[in-house]
Amino acid sequence: MTHQNLLGDVPATLLPDEAGPREALAAGTPAAEVAAAHPTSCEAWAVLAEAALADGRTVEGYAYARTGYHRGLDALRRNGWKGHGPVPWEHEPNRGFLRALHALGQAAAAIGEDEEASRCAQFLQDSSPQAARVLA
């Protein structure tokens, strides 16, 4: 016997487009300048985190990723997220948060913070299986 979920599925959270930061990054404006001008931009913080991690600046990458992650949580909550549910990769404005979450997991693993790395990996998988595949 199967049981029907009477509460329904949790709706996906879709963040609003942040055209200013996205366009500035696409035009080649340094991510640090974009983050300074748009400190709530998850994408700018994610770009900073990814670059720092790629350069071996792990602690700096961790700090950037943590900032992008928390800015993303704030944005998700402002847009109806209740602490769980899909945050689809397919919706481009969600990608900055998902990238910051992934970078935070990578940085946590690099400094031996295994619980945090596992939590981030699970959160990413739960939020967007596609993001987990694309970013892996």
Side-chain angles (χ1 to χ4, degrees):
M1 171 185 259
T2 61
H3 298 282
Q4 181 181 6
N5 180 352
L6 299 176
L7 298 176
D9 291 329
V10 176
T13 302
L14 305 177
L15 294 174
D17 187 22
E18 293 183 317
R22 180 177 38 78
E23 291 168 359
L25 289 166
T29 304
E33 289 180 27
V34 177
H38 305 277
T40 62
S41 172
C42 296
E43 185 175 2
W45 292 109
V47 169
L48 286 167
E50 292 163 349
L53 292 172
D55 289 345
R57 296 176 284 125
T58 307
V59 172
E60 188 177 332
Y62 183 94
Y64 288 139
R66 173 112 8 231
T67 301
Y69 166 77
H70 281 287
R71 293 299 190 155
L73 289 178
D74 292 343
L76 287 168
R77 289 182 188 113
R78 278 192 308 274
N79 287 279
W81 186 74
K82 303 292 186 212
H84 64 283
V87 181
W89 175 261
E90 298 84 356
H91 182 67
E92 194 166 341
N94 288 350
R95 292 182 181 180
F97 167 72
L98 295 166
R99 288 171 56 196
L101 174 59
H102 179 259
L104 180 58
Q106 298 299 104
I111 63 172
E113 194 177 3
D114 297 333
E115 251 182 66
E116 177 76 347
S118 293
R119 186 189 67 76
C120 289
Q122 187 63 57
F123 188 6
L124 184 63
Q125 179 65 39
D126 292 346
S127 297
S128 175
Q130 183 176 2
R133 283 190 304 277
V134 168
L135 297 170

